[in-house]
Amino acid sequence: RCSAPRTEATTCRPPFHNLQELRHSASLANKVFIQRDYSEGTTCKFQTKFPSELESRIERTLFEDTVKTLNNFYAEAEKIGGQSYLEGCLACVTAYLIFLCMETRYEKVLKKIAKYIQEQNEKIYAPRGLLITDPIERGMRVIEISIYEDRGSSSSSSGSSSVSGSTAR
Amino acid sequence: KIRHLYLARAGILRKKTRMRSHSRPTAGPIFLFYLDVFISSASSCLTSGSMSAVMITRKVRKWEKLPGKNTFCCDGRVMMARQKGVFYLTMFLIVGTCSLFFAFECPYLAVHLSPAIPVFAIILFLFVMAMLLRTSFSDPGVLPRALPEEANFIEMEIAANGNVPAGQRPPPRIRNVQINNQIVKLKYCYTCKIFRPPRASHCSICDNCVDRFDHHCPWVGNCVGKRNYRYFYLFTLTLSLLTIYIFAFDIVHVVMRECLVFSFLNTLKETPGTYPLNVLVCFFTLWSVVGLTGFHTYLISLNQTTNEDVSAAFENNACFNHFIESIIAYGVDPNRPRCRTFQVLPRSDFPHRTDKNMVGFYFCREPILGWSNFHNYHRAGQEVTQGFSVKCLGILKIKVYCRDAISYPCRSHLYM
């Protein structure tokens, strides 16, 4: 019997302290898909529109920061400049065998993105019962955000009988 | 429950011997199934007495699970289409023609003209082979299919957007997006259950959606898409150069031996195998490959794929980023389906369990699960897991094949 008014931030939600705990004690309730933003061409960019399912889960600014940073990473990866031309010409001349020794710039940025997503998941999203899947796992079409509910709590959105695991790292 | 299973099994065993005497499938046949089982964890529902199965954990590479008609080799490093016959022909033609050139003409030309000629030919040849293998073996940019949750999400979105009155055909699923101030329609792929990104297309031969799909090339044995277009273009370009080179030096060789009229017959006597084959192959290759290179150069300058050119669907190329950037500068994303990464198979891969259809498993002759109703005909060798509900607690992946033909309705156990 709470006399104090319950705000969104104080709904009963168990604190998930890390990703492992999240996976073992929670069950998947829903998934939200952030679509691609094609307004500026076919470069990789995701919409920063805040989905309504996450209203009660995470602050708008945090979410937008994450998506904007991801967009910046992808823009950096796909940037066509001096270095990428040089890399391309060198690769062409050596019949692309040079990529047995070195990594392309794109691969390097992808690794940075993976690390960033892992770090965001650990610090920000898992404590709120959310998990971001790297868009490369989905063919760069969507950013998949899985919403978890604690198995112990009976929430109407978690009653689904389909149990599935997210392939997030 | 376990006792029931045991009794049922005993009963079924009796039926089996009866069936054998009839030697034709009747209602109630029993079958031996081949099980390919991966178990990840035991479940508390299994009673201890019934479970004598071995717990095996296995991580599965993603390429093993990729739907679509691709063949994989070298643990996922090589990805090709299923029909490879024409690819072998291409290899044979290139290697055969070049070896004839090296064997018969290079010695003469190296001595009489310059030793740089065979060296350059070898370099060109190695380049062509490298590009060919790279085109054939690499992933063209396959878009991974939507997982069930995403497919459901899209279905709900579509349902919410329009209600079709009963009796009418639903409109084609199209999503309009604005790209650089032009409206582009994204089509829905019923196989992959996604809205295809702009410039993607579904290849029916490989049964995959491929990003920036150009065409499916049988000569190369693979689709040509975003990720291997540059290799394909370089392949056609260097093959044209190689063909022109060999053709030119064939002619030079003929001219150098004697004067043109007699020399052809003379050299034919001296180097019997070379001319008919070399010249013929080079001649036809010249027209086709050089033509193809020219065509693709034209397409690149227009920023179009072959698919778009053929279907004449895109007048709005201006809104797409240009090809050239991704050909010259290596800015395209690598391994999209991440074929070689590991994936622990999610449980949702299983069809849902209903009470009517439950498959029984026996490991080491111990029953661990319920039993099944078959409701389909199956041919021998056919996989029967599809359409089955599997009450497999902790078992991640099962493929069940039918050893004998099944007729239904029947109730039977599966056992090893």
Side-chain angles (χ1 to χ4, degrees):
Chain A
R1 259 173 257 129
C2 298
S3 56
R6 287 172 73 186
T7 64
E8 286 178 350
T10 59
T11 47
C12 297
R13 202 165 50 236
F16 299 110
H17 294 292
N18 55 27
L19 284 174
Q20 297 299 97
E21 221 183 85
L22 180 67
R23 281 206 205 111
H24 290 183
S25 66
S27 69
L28 186 69
N30 204 2
K31 282 192 186 186
V32 185
F33 299 97
I34 315 294
Q35 303 290 334
R36 283 275 292 271
D37 176 13
Y38 289 113
S39 57
E40 287 170 23
T42 47
T43 43
C44 187
K45 204 169 168 237
F46 291 95
Q47 290 177 355
T48 48
K49 186 169 87 80
F50 189 64
S52 51
E53 291 88 344
L54 298 181
E55 291 271 324
S56 58
R57 291 293 205 149
I58 191 169
E59 291 79 25
R60 188 179 285 255
T61 47
L62 285 173
F63 170 80
E64 279 176 6
D65 271 344
T66 310
V67 179
K68 282 200 182 120
T69 318
L70 282 177
N71 285 340
N72 288 338
F73 271 129
Y74 286 119
E76 182 199 328
E78 291 180 3
K79 191 169 72 120
I80 310 292
Q83 199 206 343
S84 48
Y85 273 116
L86 208 62
E87 211 178 54
C89 288
L90 186 67
C92 187
V93 160
T94 62
Y96 293 93
L97 295 171
I98 199 167
F99 291 131
L100 298 169
C101 319
M102 70 178 229
E103 233 176 25
T104 68
R105 196 157 140 262
Y106 201 95
E107 279 168 356
K108 289 188 190 129
V109 178
L110 276 188
K111 283 205 172 133
K112 273 206 283 190
I113 290 172
K115 230 176 14 177
Y116 173 75
I117 288 181
Q118 168 88 350
E119 175 208 315
Q120 288 281 294
N121 272 336
E122 277 170 11
K123 290 199 193 138
I124 299 180
Y125 288 85
R128 291 169 171 77
L130 302 171
L131 213 58
I132 300 185
T133 309
D134 198 336
I136 193 113
E137 308 280 338
R138 300 286 172 262
M140 307 288 255
R141 290 181 296 108
V142 288
I143 302 178
E144 188 181 291
I145 303 183
S146 317
I147 304 176
Y148 285 90
E149 295 286 345
D150 182 41
R151 280 201 188 125
S153 74
S154 53
S155 156
S156 55
S157 60
S158 74
S160 146
S161 60
S162 66
V163 181
S164 53
S166 154
T167 56
R169 293 190 189 85
Chain B
K1 189 180 178 182
I2 303 298
R3 188 165 167 270
H4 169 73
L5 291 174
Y6 270 108
L7 285 177
R9 181 175 161 230
I12 283 159
L13 279 174
R14 279 203 295 273
K15 271 199 226 168
K16 183 186 178 180
T17 48
R18 251 190 290 145
M19 184 212 121
R20 283 246 161 100
S21 60
H22 292 294
S23 73
R24 80 183 148 90
T26 56
I30 315 305
F31 312 96
L32 275 173
F33 283 79
Y34 305 105
L35 289 176
D36 176 15
V37 180
F38 306 105
I39 307 173
S40 80
S41 62
S43 165
S44 55
C45 294
L46 300 169
T47 62
S48 53
S50 69
M51 198 178 65
S52 52
V54 175
M55 296 300 128
I56 310 163
T57 35
R58 189 184 124 151
K59 285 191 285 188
V60 175
R61 297 261 192 199
K62 272 193 185 167
W63 61 264
E64 295 178 45
K65 268 205 27 111
L66 206 71
K69 301 180 193 155
N70 287 105
T71 51
F72 291 90
C73 305
C74 301
D75 197 22
R77 290 182 176 91
V78 165
M79 178 175 177
M80 291 183 77
R82 275 197 194 159
Q83 297 97 342
K84 301 193 235 339
V86 189
F87 168 67
Y88 294 137
L89 175 69
T90 311
M91 291 273 281
F92 172 73
L93 281 174
I94 297 176
V95 172
T97 314
C98 290
S99 47
L100 284 177
F101 180 73
F102 291 132
F104 294 112
E105 285 160 43
C106 279
Y108 182 86
L109 289 169
V111 165
H112 290 253
L113 263 186
S114 131
I117 292 171
V119 169
F120 197 62
I122 287 176
I123 293 174
L124 258 183
F125 170 69
L126 290 175
F127 211 93
V128 168
M129 289 309 292
M131 290 296 108
L132 171 64
L133 295 178
R134 195 82 201 240
T135 314
S136 306
F137 294 165
S138 63
D139 160 40
V142 170
L143 292 170
R145 294 192 186 184
L147 293 182
E149 293 90 14
E150 193 180 349
N152 289 339
F153 178 82
I154 295 177
E155 291 280 340
M156 288 194 318
E157 227 182 21
I158 294 172
N161 279 342
N163 288 316
V164 185
Q168 278 189 19
R169 205 166 6 138
R173 294 175 174 186
I174 288 183
R175 185 189 271 176
N176 289 322
V177 291
Q178 196 176 46
I179 303 181
N180 275 338
N181 300 321
Q182 271 181 313
I183 303 287
V184 173
K185 293 185 190 311
L186 300 187
K187 289 205 195 128
Y188 181 76
C189 180
Y190 285 92
T191 320
C192 305
K193 301 210 174 30
I194 56 170
F195 276 100
R196 286 187 211 123
R199 314 188 89 169
S201 187
H202 190 91
C203 174
S204 47
I205 303 172
C206 304
D207 202 24
N208 288 322
C209 268
V210 179
D211 201 4
R212 217 170 66 195
F213 179 69
D214 196 84
H215 63 288
H216 180 98
C217 187
W219 299 94
V220 150
N222 205 357
C223 288
V224 176
K226 186 179 189 181
R227 291 200 55 224
N228 63 355
Y229 187 78
R230 76 175 60 81
Y231 309 125
F232 177 75
Y233 181 70
L234 286 174
F235 166 63
T236 54
L237 190 64
T238 47
L239 187 62
S240 315
L241 292 176
L242 184 68
T243 314
I244 293 171
Y245 193 84
I246 292 181
F247 198 61
F249 280 105
D250 275 352
I251 294 174
V252 165
H253 185 210
V254 168
V255 167
M256 282 185 71
R257 290 271 191 174
E258 305 277 337
C259 92
L260 204 61
V261 181
F262 294 118
S263 63
F264 186 70
L265 298 166
N266 269 349
T267 38
L268 208 62
K269 273 184 262 170
E270 285 168 41
T271 59
T274 318
Y275 276 109
L277 287 165
N278 248 1
V279 171
L280 223 62
V281 170
C282 283
F283 184 73
F284 287 112
T285 313
L286 207 67
W287 290 113
S288 50
V289 176
V290 170
L292 191 68
T293 312
F295 176 61
H296 277 282
T297 315
Y298 164 75
L299 285 182
I300 290 174
S301 66
L302 281 185
N303 189 18
Q304 263 187 345
T305 64
T306 311
N307 193 34
E308 291 161 4
D309 183 69
V310 163
S311 62
F314 283 90
E315 292 94 22
N316 42 11
N317 300 331
C319 56
F320 298 142
N321 294 2
H322 209 279
F323 260 168
I324 283 224
E325 296 171 339
S326 56
I327 290 185
I328 298 176
Y330 200 83
V332 185
D333 48 303
N335 227 337
R336 194 182 275 147
R338 310 296 287 268
C339 291
R340 299 198 67 248
T341 56
F342 282 111
Q343 180 188 19
V344 179
L345 300 167
R347 282 182 181 187
S348 65
D349 271 16
F350 277 124
H352 286 297
R353 168 198 159 189
T354 65
D355 286 319
K356 278 190 112 180
N357 305 319
M358 289 200 303
V359 172
F361 285 90
Y362 294 84
F363 289 90
C364 309
R365 311 235 165 232
E366 304 282 35
I368 59 169
L369 296 166
W371 48 279
S372 71
N373 286 331
F374 288 85
H375 291 287
N376 286 304
Y377 278 100
H378 293 286
R379 299 183 302 276
Q382 189 183 7
E383 188 188 336
V384 298
T385 329
Q386 323 263 350
F388 265 49
S389 301
V390 178
K391 180 193 171 186
C392 297
L393 308 159
I395 297 174
L396 287 189
K397 179 181 173 180
I398 296 175
K399 267 192 187 166
V400 178
Y401 295 95
C402 176
R403 198 191 71 169
D404 308 303
I406 308 177
S407 70
Y408 69 94
C410 65
R411 287 177 168 185
S412 51
H413 287 271
L414 308 173
Y415 59 95
M416 280 171 77

